[in-house]
Amino acid sequence: MDIKIKDFEGPLDLLLHLVSKYQVDIYDVPITEVIEQYLAYIATLQAMRLEVAGDYMLMASQLMLIKSRKLLPKVVAEQEVNDDPELDLLNQLEEYRKFKLLSQKLSEQHDLRAQHFSKPRQELIFEEVSLKRDKTSIDLFLAFSQIMAQKKESFKQNHATIEA
Amino acid sequence: MSRLAEIEALLFVAGEEGLSLRQMAEVLELPATGLTQSLERLIEKYDKDTESSLMVLQSSNRYRLVTKEEHAELLQRYSRTPINQSMSRALLETLSIVAYKQPITRLEVDEIRGVNSSAAMAKLVTFELIEAIGHKEVIGRPRLYATTPGFLDFIGINSLEELPEVTDLDLTQEESQLFGGQALLSDEE
């Protein structure tokens, strides 16, 4: 295993990675094998005492349910119950994959836009202008908290710390 | 006085906020059609002039006076404005889900991503790329989010119709390079 949990945006991303190795349509993936790999991966992480986010645990339990149901003999009357969680998961994966792609495309488009720079608006001041008085203390509060939040965020981005 | 110079003066003062066609038409007291022609002439003038670093960019239905892309590298060394910063994968994923599925609740975003997205949503609100536009009339009345006009400028388009689409071709291509866009922090261990 040459992958770290930090490389992934959550359990769906990790599953997508495991599934992609099969080079087949998502709906043709040998789901039990993928489940095995997922659980093995989580177990390895835990053995190394790495912190695993709760989302991964939740997914693990859902996968165990799917797997255990697959192992049990099929009861004809309860057929839809058997297939449902599995199909839901596959649909979820498919949907997630679509947005993962779209976000890459948006990122590319933004990069093109980000090559153009402009300057802040020039505040012009004239004598005969009168004050509108359409702002309240709430507007002031929101404006300042906005600036603080943005500063905090950009500070975090420009000063990358190595997360333990 | 030259019409083009007047438009240029307005765009210069408006800066990153830019101006809509209507605002310009009002200030210049001109019909919008004539103004469009003048704008096109101005765009062309900048385009031809290799000695000029400026151009007129249209996004989110506003015109902005911006620098040409060939100066990007030089200016990146100098300036860091929010629109010219790249974003983390988590933010981009969340943003794209809101962009295509709006109006959408945070819970619905969580469901698609399979992880909690509240931090990412809060950051996007801070950057004024998404905003709460109302409540969903279900139990708990969760907030519904949509993208802002600032988002359109962020990716340089005029309307949501211009958002890129996913084709089958992309999906097959992606099979082979699933690990193209990796987070940068992963090799620091």
Side-chain angles (χ1 to χ4, degrees):
Chain A
M1 287 279 185
D2 55 341
I3 39 182
K4 299 186 196 73
I5 207 102
K6 235 192 269 178
D7 298 344
F8 296 101
E9 289 296 333
L12 283 174
D13 204 9
L14 170 57
L15 274 174
L16 199 57
H17 171 69
L18 296 174
V19 162
S20 68
K21 288 193 286 201
Y22 290 94
Q23 297 280 337
V24 289
D25 190 276
I26 279 196
Y27 294 96
D28 302 332
V29 164
I31 193 87
T32 13
E33 276 184 48
V34 173
I35 293 176
E36 291 283 347
Q37 289 173 11
Y38 182 93
L39 295 175
Y41 180 52
I42 300 291
T44 317
L45 282 179
Q46 284 194 290
M48 292 159 71
R49 301 230 174 126
L50 288 179
E51 287 206 6
V52 182
D55 299 311
Y56 289 88
M57 290 297 163
L58 180 67
M59 178 60 80
S61 65
Q62 282 170 341
L63 294 177
M64 283 187 208
L65 179 70
I66 293 174
K67 195 180 152 189
S68 59
R69 287 214 173 139
K70 271 189 98 79
L71 295 175
L72 291 172
K74 274 211 165 75
V75 184
V76 181
E78 285 187 69
Q79 197 153 6
E80 62 267 40
V81 183
N82 277 336
D83 287 341
D84 253 355
E86 183 185 341
L87 197 65
D88 284 351
L89 179 72
L90 292 175
N91 288 339
Q92 233 187 325
L93 271 178
E94 185 63 42
E95 177 91 337
Y96 176 74
R97 183 167 77 147
K98 195 178 89 182
F99 281 109
K100 201 174 150 171
L101 262 177
L102 283 171
S103 67
Q104 277 165 19
K105 285 195 171 192
L106 286 190
S107 171
E108 281 160 26
Q109 275 205 272
H110 165 66
D111 289 345
L112 288 177
R113 169 62 182 93
Q115 293 183 321
H116 303 283
F117 291 75
S118 48
K119 45 177 266 317
R121 178 182 149 170
Q122 177 97 36
E123 293 292 351
L124 300 177
I125 297 168
F126 290 105
E127 290 287 329
E128 60 268 26
V129 176
S130 61
L131 205 55
K132 236 188 178 168
R133 302 186 192 282
D134 58 345
K135 296 280 180 280
T136 64
S137 56
I138 304 230
D139 292 305
L140 265 182
F141 168 79
L142 287 175
F144 188 64
S145 66
Q146 181 90 357
I147 293 166
M148 290 299 282
Q150 280 180 356
K151 258 277 166 277
K152 239 195 225 160
E153 192 48 42
S154 63
F155 191 80
K156 262 208 307 226
Q157 283 187 349
N158 299 340
H159 303 259
T161 46
I162 302 169
E163 290 168 39
Chain B
M1 218 168 17
S2 148
R3 170 90 23 93
L4 293 199
E6 284 183 326
I7 297 174
E8 185 183 52
L10 283 176
L11 287 173
F12 170 76
V13 171
E16 61 194 7
E17 261 180 50
L19 288 159
S20 68
L21 205 58
R22 222 186 56 195
Q23 285 175 310
M24 276 190 272
E26 259 171 44
V27 180
L28 291 162
E29 292 163 350
L30 282 173
T33 40
L35 185 57
T36 317
Q37 282 175 354
S38 304
L39 270 164
E40 275 164 17
R41 292 221 327 267
L42 183 64
I43 290 171
E44 206 178 325
K45 177 177 157 280
Y46 280 128
D47 200 41
K48 280 202 189 120
D49 187 358
T50 48
E51 304 278 287
S52 168
S53 68
L54 299 176
M55 59 175 277
V56 178
L57 181 116
Q58 197 198 352
S59 65
S60 195
N61 284 315
R62 298 172 83 82
Y63 293 87
R64 292 176 178 81
L65 197 59
V66 299
T67 57
K68 291 176 179 166
E69 60 265 33
E70 56 256 44
H71 310 294
E73 207 185 320
L74 168 74
L75 295 169
Q76 251 147 17
R77 274 181 268 155
Y78 174 72
S79 124
R80 274 193 88 82
T81 47
I83 198 149
N84 308 73
Q85 282 180 0
S86 54
M87 302 171 93
S88 73
R89 259 182 63 202
L91 281 193
L92 274 168
E93 272 180 17
T94 310
L95 182 60
S96 64
I97 292 170
V98 176
Y100 286 86
K101 291 261 182 179
Q102 57 185 301
I104 188 170
T105 64
R106 186 180 63 77
L107 213 63
E108 288 164 335
V109 175
D110 285 357
E111 249 159 51
I112 295 174
R113 288 188 64 221
V115 289
N116 183 308
S117 309
S118 42
M121 298 280 273
K123 278 177 198 169
L124 292 170
V125 171
T126 298
F127 285 135
E128 291 181 339
L129 291 167
I130 65 172
E131 60 186 343
I133 52 155
H135 294 275
K136 195 171 183 171
E137 290 308 333
V138 292
I139 293 172
R141 297 187 79 235
R143 281 192 174 158
L144 282 167
Y145 291 89
T147 52
T148 62
F151 165 76
L152 295 177
D153 183 42
F154 183 79
I155 56 169
I157 58 175
N158 289 311
S159 73
L160 291 169
E161 278 92 70
E162 295 173 45
L163 282 172
E165 285 173 27
V166 160
T167 58
D168 295 341
L169 178 72
D170 298 322
L171 288 170
T172 34
Q173 273 180 340
E174 183 236 6
E175 307 270 71
S176 49
Q177 46 141 347
L178 242 174
F179 263 152
Q182 259 327 310
L184 296 169
L185 279 172
S186 52
D187 10 306
E188 300 195 10
E189 282 161 298

